[in-house]
Amino acid sequence: MRQIVLDTETTGIDPAEGHRIIEIGCVEMMERQLTGRNYHVYINPEREVEAEAITIHGITNEFLLDKPKFAAVADEFFEFIKGAELVIHNAAFDIGFMDSEFARVKPVRKTADHCGVVDSLALARAKHPGQKNNLNALCKRYGVDNSNRELHGALLDAEILAEVYLLLTGGQTALSLDAGSESAGGSGGLRRLNSDRPELAIIKATEAENEAHQAFMATLEQKAGGTVWSKLEGAE
């Protein structure tokens, strides 16, 4: 399965009011493993970024002046996501903006016609009802490091969301017999041990420890009126 964890930053909150995408960040996963292939671009929105939005993501109008317009990146962006399952936190927001942008260029495309969509916010709400389920809250809940997230950023948020999503939907996702391999969830996989490794020490109980154990079991047997261990020993 090919999945793309995706996030966008925008000039405002409603594409119906003419707001536009200014940043796209995508992280690719195959079979729930990060591939290292990312897609990231800043976009000139051809309009002003709202001051309130700038306080969230820190992307200024001046910074975007020399960036490409969406029409110039639409094809490469579409080719990157086409046929994949998109993992998006609050998917309706990003998909609404993407469809609005795709509607401005030829050929007109609708995201859901070419991609599957998974809303990680809906998954989190179903798993943790009545709790905060924004990305910061989920990072805290699952122990994901988001210390670099002082401002929202599409690529950084997509990378963080990828780790959160894997933990949210099952934690460690794969076991590998390759030495040094790691699962996409951040946990180490199985490793082969060298055949010439030192043998593990076998530590046996001392006579005194055996006597103390037998005394404890006798007391437990008397108080409980029989134990599983005594029945097993009697069956041998």
Side-chain angles (χ1 to χ4, degrees):
M1 182 197 307
R2 181 171 183 259
Q3 293 176 299
I4 301 294
V5 186
L6 182 150
D7 186 56
T8 65
E9 300 299 339
T10 63
T11 63
I13 63 171
D14 190 352
E17 296 179 359
H19 286 292
R20 306 287 299 273
I21 292 176
I22 58 174
E23 184 186 10
I24 300 170
C26 300
V27 176
E28 183 186 61
M29 295 192 298
M30 291 291 291
E31 303 299 335
R32 295 174 60 85
Q33 297 283 341
L34 295 169
T35 67
R37 286 190 69 220
N38 299 337
Y39 179 84
H40 181 231
V41 65
Y42 291 103
I43 297 168
N44 182 337
E46 304 178 80
R47 59 155 292 157
E48 293 290 305
V49 183
E50 288 191 343
E52 186 177 354
I54 294 174
T55 64
I56 295 173
H57 49 58
I59 303 173
T60 64
N61 292 291
E62 294 74 20
F63 175 78
L64 296 171
L65 284 176
D66 62 347
K67 302 303 182 287
K69 297 173 183 177
F70 185 83
V73 302
D75 287 342
E76 65 179 18
F77 172 48
F78 176 75
E79 288 301 318
F80 189 83
I81 65 172
K82 183 175 66 174
E85 180 178 76
L86 306 182
V87 178
I88 308 174
H89 209 63
N90 191 16
F93 177 87
D94 299 85
I95 296 297
F97 270 94
M98 289 163 57
D99 285 347
S100 177
E101 295 289 356
F102 281 131
R104 291 184 170 93
V105 297
K106 302 295 182 182
V108 174
R109 303 159 176 133
K110 192 172 180 62
T111 306
D113 291 341
H114 303 277
C115 305
V117 179
V118 172
D119 188 347
S120 55
L121 177 58
L123 293 178
R125 285 173 172 169
K127 190 169 185 178
H128 307 289
Q131 301 183 52
K132 288 185 177 179
N133 287 298
N134 58 45
L135 194 53
N136 283 336
L138 291 172
C139 285
K140 183 176 181 180
R141 189 171 301 144
Y142 287 102
V144 174
D145 181 13
N146 66 339
S147 56
N148 292 326
R149 193 181 187 242
E150 295 180 4
L151 293 170
H152 287 237
L155 184 59
L156 176 60
D157 283 3
E159 291 172 340
I160 292 173
L161 178 58
E163 188 169 357
V164 167
Y165 170 76
L166 290 172
L167 294 169
L168 177 67
T169 57
Q172 184 174 343
T173 58
L175 294 177
S176 171
L177 295 178
D178 295 328
S181 66
E182 294 185 353
S183 71
S187 301
L190 296 178
R191 292 185 300 165
R192 294 185 185 275
L193 297 177
N194 294 329
S195 59
D196 60 348
R197 69 189 185 279
E199 292 187 4
L200 297 176
I202 300 176
I203 302 175
K204 296 183 178 181
T206 64
E207 186 175 346
E209 288 170 337
N210 278 326
E211 290 176 355
H213 173 69
Q214 292 299 330
F216 172 78
M217 293 301 296
T219 301
L220 185 62
E221 179 84 13
Q222 184 178 6
K223 290 184 176 181
T227 64
V228 172
W229 294 279
S230 63
K231 293 178 182 177
L232 290 174
E233 288 175 354
E236 291 179 352

PDB file of all heavy atoms in Angstrom, residues 1-6 81 83-96 98-99 110-123 161 165:
ATOM      1  N   MET A   1       0.847  -1.194   0.000  1.00  0.00           N
ATOM      2  CA  MET A   1       0.000   0.000   0.000  1.00  0.00           C
ATOM      3  C   MET A   1       0.883   1.245   0.000  1.00  0.00           C
ATOM      4  O   MET A   1       1.833   1.348   0.767  1.00  0.00           O
ATOM      5  CB  MET A   1      -0.893   0.026   1.243  1.00  0.00           C
ATOM      6  CG  MET A   1      -1.835   1.225   1.291  1.00  0.00           C
ATOM      7  SD  MET A   1      -2.538   1.531   2.923  1.00  0.00           S
ATOM      8  CE  MET A   1      -3.229  -0.064   3.309  1.00  0.00           C
ATOM      9  N   ARG A   2       0.569   2.175  -0.861  1.00  0.00           N
ATOM     10  CA  ARG A   2       1.284   3.456  -0.892  1.00  0.00           C
ATOM     11  C   ARG A   2       0.425   4.506  -0.213  1.00  0.00           C
ATOM     12  O   ARG A   2      -0.725   4.728  -0.600  1.00  0.00           O
ATOM     13  CB  ARG A   2       1.591   3.885  -2.323  1.00  0.00           C
ATOM     14  CG  ARG A   2       2.366   5.200  -2.430  1.00  0.00           C
ATOM     15  CD  ARG A   2       2.817   5.443  -3.871  1.00  0.00           C
ATOM     16  NE  ARG A   2       3.620   6.649  -3.968  1.00  0.00           N
ATOM     17  CZ  ARG A   2       3.153   7.833  -4.404  1.00  0.00           C
ATOM     18  NH1 ARG A   2       1.883   7.942  -4.784  1.00  0.00           N
ATOM     19  NH2 ARG A   2       3.945   8.881  -4.454  1.00  0.00           N
ATOM     20  N   GLN A   3       0.978   5.139   0.820  1.00  0.00           N
ATOM     21  CA  GLN A   3       0.278   6.190   1.540  1.00  0.00           C
ATOM     22  C   GLN A   3       1.113   7.466   1.487  1.00  0.00           C
ATOM     23  O   GLN A   3       2.343   7.424   1.525  1.00  0.00           O
ATOM     24  CB  GLN A   3       0.046   5.794   3.000  1.00  0.00           C
ATOM     25  CG  GLN A   3      -0.920   4.625   3.179  1.00  0.00           C
ATOM     26  CD  GLN A   3      -1.041   4.212   4.629  1.00  0.00           C
ATOM     27  OE1 GLN A   3      -0.061   3.813   5.252  1.00  0.00           O
ATOM     28  NE2 GLN A   3      -2.238   4.312   5.183  1.00  0.00           N
ATOM     29  N   ILE A   4       0.426   8.590   1.426  1.00  0.00           N
ATOM     30  CA  ILE A   4       1.064   9.898   1.464  1.00  0.00           C
ATOM     31  C   ILE A   4       0.491  10.651   2.654  1.00  0.00           C
ATOM     32  O   ILE A   4      -0.714  10.913   2.706  1.00  0.00           O
ATOM     33  CB  ILE A   4       0.808  10.706   0.167  1.00  0.00           C
ATOM     34  CG1 ILE A   4       1.323   9.964  -1.058  1.00  0.00           C
ATOM     35  CG2 ILE A   4       1.431  12.094   0.291  1.00  0.00           C
ATOM     36  CD1 ILE A   4       2.822   9.789  -1.104  1.00  0.00           C
ATOM     37  N   VAL A   5       1.337  10.959   3.622  1.00  0.00           N
ATOM     38  CA  VAL A   5       0.924  11.797   4.748  1.00  0.00           C
ATOM     39  C   VAL A   5       1.103  13.239   4.301  1.00  0.00           C
ATOM     40  O   VAL A   5       2.193  13.642   3.882  1.00  0.00           O
ATOM     41  CB  VAL A   5       1.757  11.496   6.001  1.00  0.00           C
ATOM     42  CG1 VAL A   5       1.207  12.274   7.186  1.00  0.00           C
ATOM     43  CG2 VAL A   5       1.751  10.002   6.303  1.00  0.00           C
ATOM     44  N   LEU A   6       0.037  14.015   4.363  1.00  0.00           N
ATOM     45  CA  LEU A   6      -0.005  15.316   3.690  1.00  0.00           C
ATOM     46  C   LEU A   6      -0.481  16.416   4.623  1.00  0.00           C
ATOM     47  O   LEU A   6      -1.364  16.201   5.464  1.00  0.00           O
ATOM     48  CB  LEU A   6      -0.922  15.213   2.468  1.00  0.00           C
ATOM     49  CG  LEU A   6      -1.090  16.431   1.569  1.00  0.00           C
ATOM     50  CD1 LEU A   6      -1.373  15.987   0.131  1.00  0.00           C
ATOM     51  CD2 LEU A   6      -2.237  17.348   2.033  1.00  0.00           C
ATOM     52  N   ILE A  81       0.882  12.404  -5.675  1.00  0.00           N
ATOM     53  CA  ILE A  81      -0.172  11.856  -4.816  1.00  0.00           C
ATOM     54  C   ILE A  81      -1.087  10.877  -5.541  1.00  0.00           C
ATOM     55  O   ILE A  81      -1.808  10.110  -4.895  1.00  0.00           O
ATOM     56  CB  ILE A  81      -1.036  12.979  -4.191  1.00  0.00           C
ATOM     57  CG1 ILE A  81      -1.809  13.738  -5.272  1.00  0.00           C
ATOM     58  CG2 ILE A  81      -0.181  13.914  -3.359  1.00  0.00           C
ATOM     59  CD1 ILE A  81      -2.834  14.734  -4.717  1.00  0.00           C
ATOM     60  N   GLY A  83      -3.131   7.996  -7.005  1.00  0.00           N
ATOM     61  CA  GLY A  83      -3.223   6.575  -6.713  1.00  0.00           C
ATOM     62  C   GLY A  83      -2.887   6.197  -5.290  1.00  0.00           C
ATOM     63  O   GLY A  83      -3.017   5.029  -4.907  1.00  0.00           O
ATOM     64  N   ALA A  84      -2.472   7.146  -4.478  1.00  0.00           N
ATOM     65  CA  ALA A  84      -2.089   6.856  -3.094  1.00  0.00           C
ATOM     66  C   ALA A  84      -3.275   7.062  -2.158  1.00  0.00           C
ATOM     67  O   ALA A  84      -4.286   7.668  -2.516  1.00  0.00           O
ATOM     68  CB  ALA A  84      -0.927   7.746  -2.663  1.00  0.00           C
ATOM     69  N   GLU A  85      -3.123   6.532  -0.957  1.00  0.00           N
ATOM     70  CA  GLU A  85      -4.068   6.829   0.118  1.00  0.00           C
ATOM     71  C   GLU A  85      -3.489   7.994   0.902  1.00  0.00           C
ATOM     72  O   GLU A  85      -2.388   7.901   1.432  1.00  0.00           O
ATOM     73  CB  GLU A  85      -4.247   5.605   1.017  1.00  0.00           C
ATOM     74  CG  GLU A  85      -5.224   5.836   2.156  1.00  0.00           C
ATOM     75  CD  GLU A  85      -5.410   4.586   3.002  1.00  0.00           C
ATOM     76  OE1 GLU A  85      -4.498   4.283   3.812  1.00  0.00           O
ATOM     77  OE2 GLU A  85      -6.449   3.913   2.859  1.00  0.00           O
ATOM     78  N   LEU A  86      -4.218   9.101   0.959  1.00  0.00           N
ATOM     79  CA  LEU A  86      -3.747  10.291   1.647  1.00  0.00           C
ATOM     80  C   LEU A  86      -4.131  10.230   3.117  1.00  0.00           C
ATOM     81  O   LEU A  86      -5.286   9.951   3.451  1.00  0.00           O
ATOM     82  CB  LEU A  86      -4.338  11.548   1.011  1.00  0.00           C
ATOM     83  CG  LEU A  86      -4.143  11.716  -0.497  1.00  0.00           C
ATOM     84  CD1 LEU A  86      -4.748  13.032  -0.960  1.00  0.00           C
ATOM     85  CD2 LEU A  86      -2.670  11.633  -0.870  1.00  0.00           C
ATOM     86  N   VAL A  87      -3.170  10.470   3.985  1.00  0.00           N
ATOM     87  CA  VAL A  87      -3.408  10.537   5.425  1.00  0.00           C
ATOM     88  C   VAL A  87      -3.291  11.998   5.827  1.00  0.00           C
ATOM     89  O   VAL A  87      -2.223  12.605   5.707  1.00  0.00           O
ATOM     90  CB  VAL A  87      -2.391   9.685   6.210  1.00  0.00           C
ATOM     91  CG1 VAL A  87      -2.639   9.812   7.714  1.00  0.00           C
ATOM     92  CG2 VAL A  87      -2.458   8.227   5.767  1.00  0.00           C
ATOM     93  N   ILE A  88      -4.407  12.576   6.291  1.00  0.00           N
ATOM     94  CA  ILE A  88      -4.456  14.012   6.562  1.00  0.00           C
ATOM     95  C   ILE A  88      -5.187  14.239   7.883  1.00  0.00           C
ATOM     96  O   ILE A  88      -6.199  13.594   8.162  1.00  0.00           O
ATOM     97  CB  ILE A  88      -5.201  14.765   5.436  1.00  0.00           C
ATOM     98  CG1 ILE A  88      -4.618  14.400   4.067  1.00  0.00           C
ATOM     99  CG2 ILE A  88      -5.149  16.261   5.662  1.00  0.00           C
ATOM    100  CD1 ILE A  88      -5.398  14.987   2.896  1.00  0.00           C
ATOM    101  N   HIS A  89      -4.670  15.144   8.697  1.00  0.00           N
ATOM    102  CA  HIS A  89      -5.325  15.482   9.960  1.00  0.00           C
ATOM    103  C   HIS A  89      -6.336  16.589   9.689  1.00  0.00           C
ATOM    104  O   HIS A  89      -5.966  17.692   9.285  1.00  0.00           O
ATOM    105  CB  HIS A  89      -4.276  15.940  10.986  1.00  0.00           C
ATOM    106  CG  HIS A  89      -4.674  15.660  12.402  1.00  0.00           C
ATOM    107  ND1 HIS A  89      -4.861  14.373  12.884  1.00  0.00           N
ATOM    108  CD2 HIS A  89      -4.934  16.477  13.442  1.00  0.00           C
ATOM    109  CE1 HIS A  89      -5.193  14.421  14.154  1.00  0.00           C
ATOM    110  NE2 HIS A  89      -5.257  15.684  14.516  1.00  0.00           N
ATOM    111  N   ASN A  90      -7.603  16.286   9.908  1.00  0.00           N
ATOM    112  CA  ASN A  90      -8.713  17.161   9.523  1.00  0.00           C
ATOM    113  C   ASN A  90      -8.747  17.270   8.004  1.00  0.00           C
ATOM    114  O   ASN A  90      -8.579  18.340   7.420  1.00  0.00           O
ATOM    115  CB  ASN A  90      -8.601  18.540  10.171  1.00  0.00           C
ATOM    116  CG  ASN A  90      -9.864  19.361  10.004  1.00  0.00           C
ATOM    117  OD1 ASN A  90     -10.926  18.819   9.678  1.00  0.00           O
ATOM    118  ND2 ASN A  90      -9.763  20.660  10.212  1.00  0.00           N
ATOM    119  N   ALA A  91      -8.968  16.135   7.378  1.00  0.00           N
ATOM    120  CA  ALA A  91      -8.831  16.004   5.929  1.00  0.00           C
ATOM    121  C   ALA A  91      -9.737  16.945   5.147  1.00  0.00           C
ATOM    122  O   ALA A  91      -9.348  17.433   4.082  1.00  0.00           O
ATOM    123  CB  ALA A  91      -9.106  14.554   5.522  1.00  0.00           C
ATOM    124  N   ALA A  92     -10.930  17.220   5.639  1.00  0.00           N
ATOM    125  CA  ALA A  92     -11.870  18.059   4.888  1.00  0.00           C
ATOM    126  C   ALA A  92     -11.271  19.433   4.603  1.00  0.00           C
ATOM    127  O   ALA A  92     -11.501  20.011   3.524  1.00  0.00           O
ATOM    128  CB  ALA A  92     -13.176  18.203   5.668  1.00  0.00           C
ATOM    129  N   PHE A  93     -10.487  19.948   5.532  1.00  0.00           N
ATOM    130  CA  PHE A  93      -9.870  21.265   5.352  1.00  0.00           C
ATOM    131  C   PHE A  93      -8.889  21.237   4.185  1.00  0.00           C
ATOM    132  O   PHE A  93      -8.996  22.031   3.238  1.00  0.00           O
ATOM    133  CB  PHE A  93      -9.151  21.676   6.639  1.00  0.00           C
ATOM    134  CG  PHE A  93      -8.422  22.987   6.557  1.00  0.00           C
ATOM    135  CD1 PHE A  93      -9.082  24.167   6.826  1.00  0.00           C
ATOM    136  CD2 PHE A  93      -7.078  23.033   6.202  1.00  0.00           C
ATOM    137  CE1 PHE A  93      -8.419  25.397   6.746  1.00  0.00           C
ATOM    138  CE2 PHE A  93      -6.405  24.238   6.118  1.00  0.00           C
ATOM    139  CZ  PHE A  93      -7.072  25.425   6.382  1.00  0.00           C
ATOM    140  N   ASP A  94      -7.936  20.318   4.211  1.00  0.00           N
ATOM    141  CA  ASP A  94      -6.898  20.277   3.175  1.00  0.00           C
ATOM    142  C   ASP A  94      -7.474  19.864   1.827  1.00  0.00           C
ATOM    143  O   ASP A  94      -7.102  20.440   0.786  1.00  0.00           O
ATOM    144  CB  ASP A  94      -5.791  19.312   3.593  1.00  0.00           C
ATOM    145  CG  ASP A  94      -5.113  19.742   4.879  1.00  0.00           C
ATOM    146  OD1 ASP A  94      -5.630  19.401   5.960  1.00  0.00           O
ATOM    147  OD2 ASP A  94      -4.076  20.414   4.802  1.00  0.00           O
ATOM    148  N   ILE A  95      -8.356  18.865   1.817  1.00  0.00           N
ATOM    149  CA  ILE A  95      -8.956  18.422   0.556  1.00  0.00           C
ATOM    150  C   ILE A  95      -9.770  19.552  -0.072  1.00  0.00           C
ATOM    151  O   ILE A  95      -9.768  19.732  -1.296  1.00  0.00           O
ATOM    152  CB  ILE A  95      -9.836  17.179   0.769  1.00  0.00           C
ATOM    153  CG1 ILE A  95      -8.986  15.991   1.233  1.00  0.00           C
ATOM    154  CG2 ILE A  95     -10.597  16.826  -0.507  1.00  0.00           C
ATOM    155  CD1 ILE A  95      -7.945  15.540   0.238  1.00  0.00           C
ATOM    156  N   GLY A  96     -10.473  20.319   0.742  1.00  0.00           N
ATOM    157  CA  GLY A  96     -11.239  21.453   0.228  1.00  0.00           C
ATOM    158  C   GLY A  96     -10.347  22.453  -0.489  1.00  0.00           C
ATOM    159  O   GLY A  96     -10.686  22.949  -1.578  1.00  0.00           O
ATOM    160  N   MET A  98      -7.276  21.761  -1.711  1.00  0.00           N
ATOM    161  CA  MET A  98      -6.672  21.112  -2.878  1.00  0.00           C
ATOM    162  C   MET A  98      -7.643  21.101  -4.054  1.00  0.00           C
ATOM    163  O   MET A  98      -7.261  21.410  -5.196  1.00  0.00           O
ATOM    164  CB  MET A  98      -6.242  19.694  -2.511  1.00  0.00           C
ATOM    165  CG  MET A  98      -5.041  19.653  -1.574  1.00  0.00           C
ATOM    166  SD  MET A  98      -4.813  18.046  -0.760  1.00  0.00           S
ATOM    167  CE  MET A  98      -4.668  16.939  -2.154  1.00  0.00           C
ATOM    168  N   ASP A  99      -8.884  20.751  -3.805  1.00  0.00           N
ATOM    169  CA  ASP A  99      -9.868  20.715  -4.885  1.00  0.00           C
ATOM    170  C   ASP A  99     -10.114  22.113  -5.458  1.00  0.00           C
ATOM    171  O   ASP A  99     -10.327  22.278  -6.662  1.00  0.00           O
ATOM    172  CB  ASP A  99     -11.184  20.118  -4.387  1.00  0.00           C
ATOM    173  CG  ASP A  99     -11.109  18.610  -4.224  1.00  0.00           C
ATOM    174  OD1 ASP A  99     -10.133  18.003  -4.719  1.00  0.00           O
ATOM    175  OD2 ASP A  99     -12.015  18.033  -3.583  1.00  0.00           O
ATOM    176  N   LYS A 110     -10.395  16.246  -9.244  1.00  0.00           N
ATOM    177  CA  LYS A 110     -10.983  16.175  -7.905  1.00  0.00           C
ATOM    178  C   LYS A 110     -10.210  15.111  -7.136  1.00  0.00           C
ATOM    179  O   LYS A 110     -10.086  13.976  -7.598  1.00  0.00           O
ATOM    180  CB  LYS A 110     -12.466  15.833  -7.978  1.00  0.00           C
ATOM    181  CG  LYS A 110     -13.205  16.021  -6.672  1.00  0.00           C
ATOM    182  CD  LYS A 110     -14.695  15.839  -6.880  1.00  0.00           C
ATOM    183  CE  LYS A 110     -15.475  16.031  -5.577  1.00  0.00           C
ATOM    184  NZ  LYS A 110     -15.328  17.378  -5.022  1.00  0.00           N
ATOM    185  N   THR A 111      -9.690  15.478  -5.983  1.00  0.00           N
ATOM    186  CA  THR A 111      -8.769  14.612  -5.248  1.00  0.00           C
ATOM    187  C   THR A 111      -9.342  13.220  -5.016  1.00  0.00           C
ATOM    188  O   THR A 111      -8.675  12.208  -5.247  1.00  0.00           O
ATOM    189  CB  THR A 111      -8.399  15.258  -3.899  1.00  0.00           C
ATOM    190  OG1 THR A 111      -7.905  16.582  -4.120  1.00  0.00           O
ATOM    191  CG2 THR A 111      -7.341  14.432  -3.183  1.00  0.00           C
ATOM    192  N   ALA A 112     -10.583  13.142  -4.558  1.00  0.00           N
ATOM    193  CA  ALA A 112     -11.180  11.847  -4.205  1.00  0.00           C
ATOM    194  C   ALA A 112     -11.359  10.928  -5.402  1.00  0.00           C
ATOM    195  O   ALA A 112     -11.532   9.720  -5.236  1.00  0.00           O
ATOM    196  CB  ALA A 112     -12.528  12.060  -3.514  1.00  0.00           C
ATOM    197  N   ASP A 113     -11.296  11.475  -6.622  1.00  0.00           N
ATOM    198  CA  ASP A 113     -11.411  10.632  -7.818  1.00  0.00           C
ATOM    199  C   ASP A 113     -10.109   9.886  -8.109  1.00  0.00           C
ATOM    200  O   ASP A 113     -10.111   8.923  -8.884  1.00  0.00           O
ATOM    201  CB  ASP A 113     -11.781  11.486  -9.034  1.00  0.00           C
ATOM    202  CG  ASP A 113     -13.191  12.038  -8.956  1.00  0.00           C
ATOM    203  OD1 ASP A 113     -13.998  11.490  -8.175  1.00  0.00           O
ATOM    204  OD2 ASP A 113     -13.479  13.031  -9.657  1.00  0.00           O
ATOM    205  N   HIS A 114      -9.018  10.326  -7.507  1.00  0.00           N
ATOM    206  CA  HIS A 114      -7.709   9.752  -7.826  1.00  0.00           C
ATOM    207  C   HIS A 114      -6.963   9.221  -6.600  1.00  0.00           C
ATOM    208  O   HIS A 114      -5.943   8.549  -6.748  1.00  0.00           O
ATOM    209  CB  HIS A 114      -6.841  10.808  -8.512  1.00  0.00           C
ATOM    210  CG  HIS A 114      -7.458  11.383  -9.746  1.00  0.00           C
ATOM    211  ND1 HIS A 114      -7.373  10.769 -10.972  1.00  0.00           N
ATOM    212  CD2 HIS A 114      -8.198  12.521  -9.928  1.00  0.00           C
ATOM    213  CE1 HIS A 114      -8.017  11.500 -11.873  1.00  0.00           C
ATOM    214  NE2 HIS A 114      -8.529  12.560 -11.269  1.00  0.00           N
ATOM    215  N   CYS A 115      -7.455   9.519  -5.407  1.00  0.00           N
ATOM    216  CA  CYS A 115      -6.763   9.129  -4.170  1.00  0.00           C
ATOM    217  C   CYS A 115      -7.776   8.656  -3.133  1.00  0.00           C
ATOM    218  O   CYS A 115      -8.913   9.148  -3.093  1.00  0.00           O
ATOM    219  CB  CYS A 115      -6.005  10.319  -3.564  1.00  0.00           C
ATOM    220  SG  CYS A 115      -4.832  11.125  -4.667  1.00  0.00           S
ATOM    221  N   GLY A 116      -7.356   7.730  -2.291  1.00  0.00           N
ATOM    222  CA  GLY A 116      -8.121   7.443  -1.092  1.00  0.00           C
ATOM    223  C   GLY A 116      -7.772   8.484  -0.034  1.00  0.00           C
ATOM    224  O   GLY A 116      -6.735   9.141  -0.121  1.00  0.00           O
ATOM    225  N   VAL A 117      -8.628   8.657   0.942  1.00  0.00           N
ATOM    226  CA  VAL A 117      -8.384   9.659   1.980  1.00  0.00           C
ATOM    227  C   VAL A 117      -8.680   9.056   3.348  1.00  0.00           C
ATOM    228  O   VAL A 117      -9.739   8.465   3.563  1.00  0.00           O
ATOM    229  CB  VAL A 117      -9.255  10.917   1.780  1.00  0.00           C
ATOM    230  CG1 VAL A 117      -8.991  11.926   2.897  1.00  0.00           C
ATOM    231  CG2 VAL A 117      -8.988  11.554   0.419  1.00  0.00           C
ATOM    232  N   VAL A 118      -7.726   9.187   4.267  1.00  0.00           N
ATOM    233  CA  VAL A 118      -7.904   8.787   5.660  1.00  0.00           C
ATOM    234  C   VAL A 118      -7.765  10.036   6.529  1.00  0.00           C
ATOM    235  O   VAL A 118      -6.755  10.744   6.428  1.00  0.00           O
ATOM    236  CB  VAL A 118      -6.854   7.741   6.089  1.00  0.00           C
ATOM    237  CG1 VAL A 118      -6.943   7.481   7.592  1.00  0.00           C
ATOM    238  CG2 VAL A 118      -7.035   6.453   5.316  1.00  0.00           C
ATOM    239  N   ASP A 119      -8.767  10.304   7.340  1.00  0.00           N
ATOM    240  CA  ASP A 119      -8.722  11.455   8.238  1.00  0.00           C
ATOM    241  C   ASP A 119      -8.209  10.992   9.602  1.00  0.00           C
ATOM    242  O   ASP A 119      -8.920  10.338  10.358  1.00  0.00           O
ATOM    243  CB  ASP A 119     -10.112  12.077   8.374  1.00  0.00           C
ATOM    244  CG  ASP A 119     -10.095  13.399   9.144  1.00  0.00           C
ATOM    245  OD1 ASP A 119      -9.060  13.703   9.775  1.00  0.00           O
ATOM    246  OD2 ASP A 119     -11.106  14.113   9.119  1.00  0.00           O
ATOM    247  N   SER A 120      -6.967  11.333   9.912  1.00  0.00           N
ATOM    248  CA  SER A 120      -6.379  10.895  11.187  1.00  0.00           C
ATOM    249  C   SER A 120      -7.050  11.567  12.377  1.00  0.00           C
ATOM    250  O   SER A 120      -7.048  11.014  13.481  1.00  0.00           O
ATOM    251  CB  SER A 120      -4.871  11.172  11.202  1.00  0.00           C
ATOM    252  OG  SER A 120      -4.599  12.534  10.923  1.00  0.00           O
ATOM    253  N   LEU A 121      -7.655  12.736  12.172  1.00  0.00           N
ATOM    254  CA  LEU A 121      -8.383  13.374  13.271  1.00  0.00           C
ATOM    255  C   LEU A 121      -9.618  12.555  13.631  1.00  0.00           C
ATOM    256  O   LEU A 121      -9.908  12.347  14.817  1.00  0.00           O
ATOM    257  CB  LEU A 121      -8.788  14.795  12.879  1.00  0.00           C
ATOM    258  CG  LEU A 121      -9.615  15.569  13.913  1.00  0.00           C
ATOM    259  CD1 LEU A 121      -8.878  15.673  15.244  1.00  0.00           C
ATOM    260  CD2 LEU A 121      -9.989  16.957  13.381  1.00  0.00           C
ATOM    261  N   ALA A 122     -10.333  12.070  12.619  1.00  0.00           N
ATOM    262  CA  ALA A 122     -11.499  11.221  12.873  1.00  0.00           C
ATOM    263  C   ALA A 122     -11.085   9.929  13.571  1.00  0.00           C
ATOM    264  O   ALA A 122     -11.776   9.458  14.487  1.00  0.00           O
ATOM    265  CB  ALA A 122     -12.222  10.908  11.569  1.00  0.00           C
ATOM    266  N   LEU A 123      -9.962   9.351  13.165  1.00  0.00           N
ATOM    267  CA  LEU A 123      -9.467   8.140  13.827  1.00  0.00           C
ATOM    268  C   LEU A 123      -9.143   8.413  15.283  1.00  0.00           C
ATOM    269  O   LEU A 123      -9.473   7.612  16.166  1.00  0.00           O
ATOM    270  CB  LEU A 123      -8.214   7.628  13.109  1.00  0.00           C
ATOM    271  CG  LEU A 123      -8.376   7.094  11.684  1.00  0.00           C
ATOM    272  CD1 LEU A 123      -7.015   6.691  11.127  1.00  0.00           C
ATOM    273  CD2 LEU A 123      -9.329   5.910  11.654  1.00  0.00           C
ATOM    274  N   LEU A 161       3.037  13.886  11.779  1.00  0.00           N
ATOM    275  CA  LEU A 161       1.779  13.155  11.639  1.00  0.00           C
ATOM    276  C   LEU A 161       2.022  11.715  11.212  1.00  0.00           C
ATOM    277  O   LEU A 161       1.305  10.807  11.647  1.00  0.00           O
ATOM    278  CB  LEU A 161       0.857  13.853  10.647  1.00  0.00           C
ATOM    279  CG  LEU A 161      -0.479  13.165  10.374  1.00  0.00           C
ATOM    280  CD1 LEU A 161      -1.277  12.990  11.665  1.00  0.00           C
ATOM    281  CD2 LEU A 161      -1.292  13.940   9.336  1.00  0.00           C
ATOM    282  N   TYR A 165       0.430   8.800  13.238  1.00  0.00           N
ATOM    283  CA  TYR A 165      -0.522   7.917  12.567  1.00  0.00           C
ATOM    284  C   TYR A 165      -0.143   6.452  12.747  1.00  0.00           C
ATOM    285  O   TYR A 165      -1.011   5.606  13.014  1.00  0.00           O
ATOM    286  CB  TYR A 165      -0.590   8.263  11.081  1.00  0.00           C
ATOM    287  CG  TYR A 165      -1.366   7.262  10.258  1.00  0.00           C
ATOM    288  CD1 TYR A 165      -2.753   7.226  10.291  1.00  0.00           C
ATOM    289  CD2 TYR A 165      -0.703   6.327   9.463  1.00  0.00           C
ATOM    290  CE1 TYR A 165      -3.466   6.297   9.552  1.00  0.00           C
ATOM    291  CE2 TYR A 165      -1.406   5.399   8.717  1.00  0.00           C
ATOM    292  CZ  TYR A 165      -2.784   5.389   8.761  1.00  0.00           C
ATOM    293  OH  TYR A 165      -3.475   4.462   8.035  1.00  0.00           O
TER     294      TYR A 165
END
